Amino acid sequence: MAASLIFRYRPGASVLHRTDTRAKLVGMIALSLTLIRVSPYKLILITPLLVSGLFLLRERKVKSTPPLFVLLMPLIIFSGNVLSLRFSAGESMATALTAGALRMGAFISILMLAQLFIATTDPPGITPALYAFLRTIPLLPARDLSMRMGLSLTLIPVILDEMNEIRDAMICRCGWHPARPLRNLFHMGLPLLEGILTRAGSLADAMESRCYNEEATIPELQEGSLVLLPLLVVTALTILLILPGFLPIKSHFFPYMFRYY
């Protein structure tokens, strides 16, 4: 049950909880895009902020353990980048290790951004926020897309719960090997897929029993949320992340800090 606390909404009254969902969406997308071209400076600036936000949202009486795939993905990204840069691109081992570490750090930062967004955003408020953005694009089925995207985000804890149940069943049957994580993931594949499809079918039946259809009314956005101040903070942070990389600095230290990988 501990692992299911990851990527799950946690009620609260913090500034992030009171921030408008649209502002949080803009902030998450903007900061994630700036991390596509990662540099040491970006990680040094943004990582402490994300860690501080997650620390304030932590459960004091409950210890949460990240799911296995969350722990393995950064290692896979690191090793994949090192191998591709070293043997395919012909880069030196030092450059390959540095680039792999920075891209792994960028992936972890994006995961922390997603965790902050999901942990502080009430699931019923995600769909209307997505609809408010998508309806401005012509010829786009905004209603269906926003509903499906909102359901995808709210289904993440359900998938993690299913993984926990399968893991517990494997432990009870002596089929779980802590020293062989890849083997565990392989044997979890088919039961996990079957469980997800079963739960998705139950969700579809529940929506149908409540007369959901294409003409369903999109919930309204929450009134009185913080909008202007969070957007100003995100804009300032985005400028701080991007601008120094274009400054003509001639020092030997700073170009390395602003070098993109």
Side-chain angles (χ1 to χ4, degrees):
M1 182 62 185
S4 63
L5 294 174
I6 306 298
F7 299 118
R8 183 181 292 276
Y9 174 63
R10 303 177 187 177
S14 65
V15 174
L16 285 175
H17 283 88
R18 292 184 284 113
T19 299
D20 190 273
T21 306
R22 293 169 295 180
K24 286 187 281 190
L25 272 174
V26 170
M28 182 179 65
I29 295 172
L31 295 179
S32 298
L33 289 176
T34 60
L35 290 173
I36 292 178
R37 298 184 64 193
V38 65
S39 67
Y41 166 76
K42 290 182 178 181
L43 293 182
I44 290 174
L45 181 62
I46 195 173
T47 302
L49 298 176
L50 297 176
V51 172
S52 301
L54 291 175
F55 179 78
L56 295 176
L57 293 174
R58 77 190 190 284
E59 297 284 345
R60 297 183 181 274
K61 297 182 180 180
V62 180
K63 294 182 179 179
S64 58
T65 304
L68 184 61
F69 77 92
V70 174
L71 297 176
L72 286 178
M73 280 303 299
L75 298 178
I76 294 173
I77 290 175
F78 173 76
S79 58
N81 278 280
V82 171
L83 293 175
S84 63
L85 291 174
R86 181 68 181 93
F87 298 105
S88 298
E91 299 286 349
S92 64
M93 181 57 71
T95 301
L97 290 174
T98 303
L102 290 176
R103 289 172 182 172
M104 180 180 66
F107 176 79
I108 294 174
S109 297
I110 292 173
L111 279 182
M112 289 192 290
L113 278 170
Q115 169 66 9
L116 279 175
F117 174 78
I118 295 176
T120 59
T121 306
D122 195 9
I126 296 177
T127 299
L130 292 170
Y131 178 71
F133 286 116
L134 296 177
R135 68 181 178 181
T136 60
I137 304 176
L139 304 178
L140 190 71
R143 186 183 302 274
D144 288 343
L145 282 179
S146 59
M147 182 63 67
R148 292 174 184 178
M149 293 170 68
L151 286 175
S152 299
L153 290 176
T154 55
L155 279 175
I156 293 177
V158 176
I159 296 174
L160 297 180
D161 288 342
E162 188 69 27
M163 291 182 64
N164 294 336
E165 293 179 5
I166 297 172
R167 182 195 61 187
D168 294 341
M170 292 176 66
I171 292 174
C172 293
R173 292 166 176 79
C174 301
W176 182 267
H177 298 275
R180 304 174 67 181
L182 293 179
R183 177 189 178 279
N184 296 334
L185 285 179
F186 177 77
H187 287 284
M188 289 176 65
L190 287 179
L192 178 61
L193 179 60
E194 182 182 359
I196 292 173
L197 292 177
T198 301
R199 296 204 180 197
S202 301
L203 177 62
D205 292 339
M207 294 175 65
E208 185 177 358
S209 65
R210 289 165 175 79
C211 301
Y212 173 80
N213 53 44
E214 295 181 356
E215 303 299 327
T217 303
I218 295 293
E220 296 182 357
L221 291 167
Q222 183 180 358
E223 298 293 338
S225 301
L226 300 176
V227 180
L228 182 59
L229 180 60
L231 287 178
L232 292 177
V233 172
V234 169
T235 303
L237 184 57
T238 304
I239 292 174
L240 285 176
L241 288 171
I242 296 177
L243 184 60
F246 299 96
L247 297 178
I249 303 176
K250 298 182 179 181
S251 170
H252 293 290
F253 174 73
F254 285 101
Y256 172 77
M257 291 296 294
F258 300 137
R259 179 181 175 181
Y260 295 122
Y261 287 89

